[in-house]
Amino acid sequence: MAKAAGVSQGTASNVFSRPEIVREEVRERVHAVAKELGYGGPSITGRLLRAGKVNAVGVAAIEPLSYFFEDLWARQLMAEISDICDGRGAGVALISARSDERLDWNVQSALVDGFILLCVEGGERLVDITRQRQLPYVALAIGAEDQSVPAIGVDNFNGARLAAEHMLGLGHRRFAILSTMLSDGHFGKADEALVRQAWYSTSRDRALGYWQALQEAGMDPQSVPIYGTLEDETSTHAAMAQIFAAPEPPTAILAMSDKIAMYAVDWLFRSGRDVPGDVSVIGFDGVPEAAVATPKLTTMAQPMHEIARLAVDAALGETQVEGRRVLSTELVVRESTAPPPAK
């Protein structure tokens, strides 16, 4: 195009990128030739890539893209990431890592400065492909043994321990645990061996934290039933039906997520039980929906804003995460927990 207009490549480039330094008659000639040739100007994408910075983060998960909108924890995290990026004038790109066939292309072609990898337990291939891109990245909620993966997570063990201690402090002695997924496709009653060998470290660590608090209170943790769920209404309601079919049902439910806890409360209401009058329920995560539930849910809140801030910093190539960064959770006492009913 520059040759057709009779100007140098630099002058042609300046016509589109710095027109104020090019004489008007030259600009008009270059634009006329460009129009004739169907040339719309330099590629913005190419210019950004040459500059080495696009001011955007890529967020990838080994879940379907709908996960970012349907899962309460992921939705809250994405809201925090989006708010932080808005404040910095940065963009966010959602990257599908669900299909193995497209994973390489989706990661390699993403126009981003770095990556945030969500819930990549069992997603070592996603980590490997992201590393090949040689851009900054950080993983969230990863349970892989590879300590070289920069990761941000929460202290699930101690968070769960504090949740159980809260219930014990209220006077509860009859408990049941509703678990997030222990292994793919499993739901129903679980035993100690299944918990300790759980594929998902988040579920395992939260169970161990509950057990630690119960043991310190002089209780036998193995006497407390634990039911795995698929983190949906159907499996949670089925677990609750089995739990409350026992001769001495629990007065306290330890739920490994707010979503599961709210499904449990719904089942209790449908069965004619009061929360917290008959049964107390505590969740885990601190999602916004928990604060407006009926009753408002007591929970162990994750520091979502801090997680998002650290992740965005890392993905944009600013402050990097070295090794594993573990953050504490906070007990938020609301309306769903109270002392057990008087005998």
Side-chain angles (χ1 to χ4, degrees):
M1 194 276 295
K3 184 176 181 181
V7 297
S8 68
Q9 189 67 47
T11 297
S13 177
N14 286 335
V15 167
F16 293 96
S17 60
R18 301 168 64 197
E20 70 280 0
I21 69 171
V22 181
R23 295 197 313 274
E24 182 177 359
E25 63 271 21
V26 175
R27 292 202 308 268
E28 291 177 351
R29 185 167 74 250
V30 170
H31 281 301
V33 172
K35 184 177 181 180
E36 183 179 340
L37 296 175
Y39 176 67
S43 164
I44 294 176
T45 298
R47 192 160 63 229
L48 288 171
L49 289 174
R50 286 192 296 274
K53 197 77 172 174
V54 297
N55 202 29
V57 300
V59 183
I62 56 173
E63 305 288 344
L65 286 177
S66 59
Y67 168 76
F68 294 107
F69 307 99
E70 295 173 354
D71 182 83
L72 300 184
W73 178 85
R75 191 163 67 199
Q76 182 190 10
L77 182 65
M78 285 305 305
E80 294 287 357
I81 289 173
S82 298
D83 284 347
I84 291 168
C85 287
D86 277 344
R88 301 183 186 185
V92 179
L94 298 184
I95 299 166
S96 173
R98 184 66 171 177
S99 169
D100 279 346
E101 295 178 0
R102 298 286 298 175
L103 180 56
D104 288 278
W105 169 255
N106 289 347
V107 171
Q108 294 297 333
S109 64
L111 192 61
V112 297
D113 296 310
F115 296 91
I116 299 171
L117 311 180
L118 297 193
C119 296
V120 293
E121 188 143 28
E124 287 78 8
R125 184 162 176 264
L126 173 58
V127 173
D128 289 342
I129 292 171
T130 303
R131 278 172 161 165
Q132 294 170 22
R133 185 72 191 272
Q134 296 187 330
L135 290 175
Y137 77 96
V138 65
L140 306 185
I142 187 169
E145 295 300 322
D146 187 350
Q147 296 295 312
S148 69
V149 176
I152 304 167
V154 297
D155 189 342
N156 290 298
F157 178 90
N158 281 308
R161 181 178 59 81
L162 290 173
E165 287 178 353
H166 168 67
M167 293 293 212
L168 289 162
L170 291 171
H172 291 278
R173 290 299 181 272
R174 299 206 311 266
F175 290 84
I177 298 170
L178 290 174
S179 175
T180 46
M181 279 198 292
L182 295 163
S183 58
D184 286 339
H186 173 270
F187 66 95
K189 194 168 185 179
D191 58 19
E192 180 182 6
L194 179 61
V195 171
R196 292 188 181 278
Q197 297 168 11
W199 177 257
Y200 295 101
S201 63
T202 294
S203 303
R204 181 189 66 237
D205 291 347
R206 290 180 187 178
L208 295 177
Y210 295 143
W211 288 348
Q212 179 70 27
L214 297 173
Q215 187 171 29
E216 290 174 354
M219 298 177 61
D220 177 9
Q222 306 315 313
S223 68
V224 176
I226 179 167
Y227 282 80
T229 76
L230 300 179
E231 303 175 42
D232 62 4
E233 180 181 65
T234 300
S235 61
T236 303
H237 282 195
M240 290 291 286
Q242 293 183 61
I243 289 169
F244 282 87
E248 282 194 308
T251 62
I253 297 293
L254 303 170
M256 290 191 189
S257 77
D258 289 342
K259 180 166 65 172
I260 293 171
M262 288 185 282
Y263 287 141
V265 170
D266 177 61
W267 185 91
L268 289 165
F269 282 160
R270 294 187 188 190
S271 68
R273 294 173 172 86
D274 181 66
V275 178
D278 297 317
V279 183
S280 288
V281 179
I282 186 169
F284 203 114
D285 288 336
V287 299
E289 291 82 357
V292 295
T294 303
K296 295 179 176 65
L297 187 67
T298 296
T299 186
M300 296 305 303
Q302 297 193 35
M304 299 299 284
H305 181 80
E306 181 68 1
I307 292 171
R309 184 188 66 78
L310 291 169
V312 171
D313 281 350
L316 288 177
E318 298 172 6
T319 305
Q320 296 301 298
V321 175
E322 301 293 337
R324 303 299 173 93
R325 181 75 178 268
V326 180
L327 305 178
S328 298
T329 56
E330 178 185 4
L331 173 64
V332 179
V333 179
R334 298 195 180 108
E335 300 170 348
S336 67
T337 53
K343 293 182 180 179

